[in-house]
Amino acid sequence: MIADKMKDLMANSSAIRAMFEEGKKMAEQYGAENVYDFSLGNPNVAPPEAVKEAIVEIAQTMDPIQLHGYMNNAGFESVRAAIAASLNKRFGTAFSENNILMTVGAAGGLNVILKTLVNPGDEVITFAPYFGEYANYVNNVNGVLVEAMTDRVTFQPDLDVLAKVITPRTRALIINNPNNPTGVVYPEETIEKLAALLEEKQRQLGTDIYLIADEPYRELVYDGAEVPYLTKYYKNTIVGYSYSKSLSLPGQRIGYLVIPDEAADGELIQQAASVANRVLGFVNAPSLQQLVVARCLGESTDVSYYDRNRKLLYKTLTDLGFSCIKPEGAFYLFVKSPVADEKEFCAHAKKYHLLLVPGSSFGGPGYVRLAYCVAYETIQRSIPAFEQLAKDYFGK
Amino acid sequence: MIADKMKDLMANSSAIRAMFEEGKKMAEQYGAENVYDFSLGNPNVAPPEAVKEAIVEIAQTMDPIQLHGYMNNAGFESVRAAIAASLNKRFGTAFSENNILMTVGAAGGLNVILKTLVNPGDEVITFAPYFGEYANYVNNVNGVLVEAMTDRVTFQPDLDVLAKVITPRTRALIINNPNNPTGVVYPEETIEKLAALLEEKQRQLGTDIYLIADEPYRELVYDGAEVPYLTKYYKNTIVGYSYSKSLSLPGQRIGYLVIPDEAADGELIQQAASVANRVLGFVNAPSLQQLVVARCLGESTDVSYYDRNRKLLYKTLTDLGFSCIKPEGAFYLFVKSPVADEKEFCAHAKKYHLLLVPGSSFGGPGYVRLAYCVAYETIQRSIPAFEQLAKDYFGK
């Protein structure tokens, strides 16, 4: 017998992961080149060469006791200091190592900060559609996830909706910019209005409402879009970051939290988050990966590769009659399902070996998500399949 | 404001980690050679050379998309299959990859299996003294940790005490063999009696009581002691393992769970644990570390180094008049405090730059733990300090 919460999770288990596993099976059955797997956000672009060089050099030259041993639960001081300096240079912030806590990916970081801040029954708001795991992370600490529907055309935050769902129990708002699953980027103007609303609500309610900025896609932007650094707009901001997408290292589990001194109880949160990192079982972010990212701070995966994919897939789908907002960030297309039940649309697409994820997995029914972090050739090969699919629904 | 649970944790924060941080400061102040830090179980013996070679070779030759990308939440199939084969060869078991789930250290694995099995209010028993984090892991899922005091002389399980604390709410018993903090090894005879008792209780109560075998110290044994492989004695056994001690890789966060098919609901638990690994924010064990350990299955850190330390420190302390059971495993000495309040003893020892951990951190008041995973020379240099300490208490 498994725990009750696990029974619920199994019943509603990840459609993304299910598609990923199915895609692997289909690849074995039909040949990988005949399967068009747009399901999992698994980066197709290799990490920059500097990553390999860093791994080898660190392994060969560093004292193995230092390299492989325990360190402070928050991570190596030198790594945290280097990341702080890098952020300060890029964004004009004033962080020190004390503001940086190394985590097991962004997923680890989110669990750490939620454990640190959320009491049972506390509300955590997210704009919808959203990365479905937020619901599970909030549930881990017996919080309540509250969805704030975004604008139905632009997928930008609807601040009227947000204002209505903030209550005295609101502990935090999770914001994901650039956005998974929609690919939109919230511009500075939106952020300023959002910050003003949160400040107003904090005053009205006499509470602290933390803005948790989950931003693994920060560097994946196109068409000159800019992603504001949220600590500069709102004091009670905690940033969660990961190198999974910007350095193509999702399997390596490495990211960090930024906890500014200016946040309410900032120093206490820093200490508590370090303890949470330990008691949740992470203990510390993997030591080798910490040291590698510290050496690769100026590096980036080839974002232009994703841009080329974005352009081709967006043009292909919209030319065929599918409806989709043009994304400026991340590597997802959020496409309107031609039928109300998008799961039916996904099942039909699977017959053409097209693997898409139903939007209801993201609190966005009626849509499907396509991850274009695939080989460019995969997109090219998928075009006839999309043409067939379009024909079935739009009859041309 | 931080969460209530975090306030409690901060108030009772880890004495081990506090000593570790203090030790680093004292080393800066007095010079590392003048500080005798027996606090943190941070292995002093380097990993075997094969680890470095594996890291370098994998980084240089493996397809980077495979190496750094996401894989199944349970870990690479090939890694899991290799570990299963290795266990089968060593212990005569019959595991496949399905029975192995790669985790972020043993700490990650314990959190995964507790999330998988424990409902709020369920009881999880541990023999005391015990690794204090068990209480925090059980609290993460709102379980209740129940301590079963071991024999006061041998620190072996007292099955009469255990029989008394098993109730209809008992979900699991955590067993740590070889044992932190006492260093004792539970022999086969004890295990057989333990298994018989658990079987009897399961029948009486009509429940499944899972035996969670936390065994990061399995390979650290001395004087020919043998550590039974518990799945062979009791069906409802889950094994948690880590390479932190056997390969000296604690900072790298790599271990695994063994979930046998024979356990009640074994296959369901395997699937649920994989989901738990994902939703708790681990997502998967770090990919590079998975591949490294799979290549180093026949390797071991130099256990004879710890044995030499064990002999010197045990002889030193017992010759001076301190009372301590002779440990057969792990790298800890559990020494009786000469005064009832062992925290006072620790504070006094610190004046001689001896860093020891109070036994109350382990549910073992009146004792202190010394970790002898330090340089042999550190133990040698510490002898005059222990002589002073002994003089203060035993007056010679």
Side-chain angles (χ1 to χ4, degrees), chain A residues 20-60:
Chain A
F20 175 52
E21 294 297 324
E22 183 141 14
K24 289 196 293 189
K25 287 195 189 102
M26 287 176 72
E28 276 166 40
Q29 191 175 357
Y30 301 110
E33 69 283 4
N34 297 317
V35 177
Y36 319 110
D37 187 353
F38 295 100
S39 66
L40 183 66
N42 203 6
N44 182 67
V45 184
E49 197 66 10
V51 166
K52 178 197 292 187
E53 292 164 1
I55 293 172
V56 171
E57 216 221 305
I58 291 165
Q60 285 179 333

Side-chain angles (χ1 to χ4, degrees), chain B residues 377-394:
Chain B
E377 295 71 29
T378 300
I379 301 177
Q380 289 177 312
R381 282 196 302 270
S382 73
I383 294 175
F386 279 117
E387 286 170 347
Q388 285 288 334
L389 194 61
K391 205 165 175 177
D392 290 351
Y393 286 97
F394 307 132

Side-chain angles (χ1 to χ4, degrees), chain A residues 42 244 248-253 289, chain B residues 67-71 284-288 290:
Chain A
N42 203 6
S244 295
S248 294
L249 300 176
Q252 302 297 358
R253 314 308 307 130
Q289 281 79 344
Chain B
L67 168 56
H68 299 293
Y70 285 122
M71 84 300 294
N284 54 256
S287 41
L288 176 57
Q290 289 186 48

Side-chain angles (χ1 to χ4, degrees), chain A residues 102-114:
Chain A
M102 304 308 294
T103 59
V104 176
L110 284 171
N111 275 279
V112 165
I113 196 61
L114 291 170

Side-chain angles (χ1 to χ4, degrees), chain A residues 1-7 9-10 12-14 17 20-21 24 40-47 51-52 55-56 59-61 64-65 67-73 77 104-105 107-109 111 114-119 133 136-137 139-140 142 171 208 210 244-245 247-253 264-265 268-269 271-273 275-276 278-290, chain B residues 1-7 9-10 12-14 17 20-21 24 40-47 51-52 55-56 59-61 64-65 67-73 77 104-105 107-109 111 114-119 133 136-137 139-140 142 171 208 210 244-245 247-253 264-265 268-269 271-273 275-276 278-290:
Chain A
M1 210 178 66
I2 58 176
D4 295 338
K5 278 191 176 187
M6 290 311 302
K7 289 177 193 160
L9 279 164
M10 304 294 279
N12 300 305
S13 91
S14 169
R17 285 283 166 169
F20 175 52
E21 294 297 324
K24 289 196 293 189
L40 183 66
N42 203 6
N44 182 67
V45 184
V51 166
K52 178 197 292 187
I55 293 172
V56 171
Q60 285 179 333
T61 62
I65 303 294
L67 168 57
H68 298 294
Y70 284 123
M71 83 300 294
N72 190 295
N73 294 126
E77 286 84 357
V104 176
N111 275 279
L114 291 170
K115 172 79 173 176
T116 299
L117 294 177
V118 175
N119 280 317
E133 290 290 78
N136 296 332
Y137 303 161
N139 182 264
N140 285 339
N142 297 307
R171 195 82 178 105
D208 290 306
Y210 293 92
S244 295
K245 312 305 194 281
L247 285 186
S248 294
L249 300 176
Q252 302 297 358
R253 314 308 307 130
D265 290 320
L268 178 58
I269 295 174
Q271 293 159 23
V275 172
R278 190 193 90 224
V279 305
L280 287 177
F282 303 105
V283 178
N284 54 256
S287 42
L288 176 58
Q289 281 79 344
Q290 289 186 47
Chain B
M1 212 178 67
I2 58 176
D4 296 338
K5 277 190 176 187
M6 290 311 302
K7 288 177 193 159
L9 279 163
M10 304 293 280
N12 300 305
S13 90
S14 168
R17 284 282 166 171
F20 176 52
E21 294 299 323
K24 290 197 293 189
L40 184 65
N42 202 6
N44 181 66
V45 183
V51 166
K52 178 197 293 188
I55 292 172
V56 171
Q60 284 178 335
T61 62
I65 303 293
L67 168 56
H68 299 293
Y70 285 122
M71 84 300 294
N72 190 295
N73 293 128
E77 286 85 358
V104 176
N111 275 278
L114 291 170
K115 173 80 173 175
T116 299
L117 294 176
V118 174
N119 281 316
E133 290 290 76
N136 296 332
Y137 302 162
N139 182 263
N140 285 339
N142 297 307
R171 196 83 180 104
D208 290 306
Y210 293 93
S244 295
K245 313 305 195 283
L247 284 186
S248 295
L249 299 176
Q252 303 295 357
R253 315 310 306 130
D265 289 320
L268 179 59
I269 294 175
Q271 293 159 20
V275 172
R278 190 193 90 226
V279 305
L280 288 177
F282 303 105
V283 178
N284 54 256
S287 41
L288 176 57
Q289 282 79 345
Q290 289 186 48

Side-chain angles (χ1 to χ4, degrees), chain A residues 128-338:
Chain A
Y130 59 99
F131 178 49
E133 290 290 78
Y134 293 165
N136 296 332
Y137 303 161
V138 170
N139 182 264
N140 285 339
V141 288
N142 297 307
V144 176
L145 189 76
V146 174
E147 296 176 358
M149 195 66 63
T150 49
D151 182 279
R152 296 292 76 205
V153 174
T154 64
F155 293 109
Q156 290 285 334
D158 184 331
L159 297 183
D160 293 332
V161 170
L162 178 62
K164 286 200 187 80
V165 298
I166 293 177
T167 77
R169 289 302 311 254
T170 302
R171 195 82 178 105
L173 164 66
I174 299 175
I175 182 175
N176 180 221
N177 190 27
N179 188 264
N180 174 12
T182 65
V184 303
V185 170
Y186 305 160
E188 185 180 39
E189 195 190 333
T190 303
I191 297 302
E192 284 169 338
K193 288 184 183 153
L194 172 66
L197 172 60
L198 292 175
E199 294 279 12
E200 175 63 26
K201 284 291 183 180
Q202 288 189 134
R203 266 193 305 271
Q204 271 177 17
L205 298 169
T207 57
D208 290 306
I209 301 174
Y210 293 92
L211 181 61
I212 300 173
D214 179 37
E215 39 180 68
Y217 302 101
R218 165 170 283 284
E219 290 80 11
L220 272 61
V221 283
Y222 320 103
D223 300 339
E226 288 186 1
V227 183
Y229 204 81
L230 298 187
T231 61
K232 300 167 70 171
Y233 295 82
Y234 185 70
K235 279 193 190 156
N236 282 344
T237 295
I238 313 281
V239 180
Y241 185 73
S242 153
Y243 293 93
S244 295
K245 312 305 194 281
S246 58
L247 285 186
S248 294
L249 300 176
Q252 302 297 358
R253 314 308 307 130
I254 183 71
Y256 58 80
L257 286 170
V258 180
I259 304 165
D261 293 347
E262 293 76 22
D265 290 320
E267 286 189 38
L268 178 58
I269 295 174
Q270 292 160 15
Q271 293 159 23
S274 185
V275 172
N277 207 35
R278 190 193 90 224
V279 305
L280 287 177
F282 303 105
V283 178
N284 54 256
S287 42
L288 176 58
Q289 281 79 344
Q290 289 186 47
L291 298 162
V292 167
V293 300
R295 288 200 188 199
C296 294
L297 287 172
E299 300 286 337
S300 170
T301 198
D302 180 12
V303 177
S304 71
Y305 192 99
Y306 295 134
D307 195 7
R308 189 168 70 131
N309 285 357
R310 176 185 74 114
K311 289 175 167 128
L312 176 60
L313 192 58
Y314 176 76
K315 183 179 197 316
T316 299
L317 293 178
T318 48
D319 284 353
L320 288 172
F322 293 104
S323 172
C324 167
I325 189 158
K326 190 168 192 187
E328 292 184 308
F331 41 44
Y332 304 109
L333 279 176
F334 207 54
V335 177
K336 199 163 169 35
S337 166

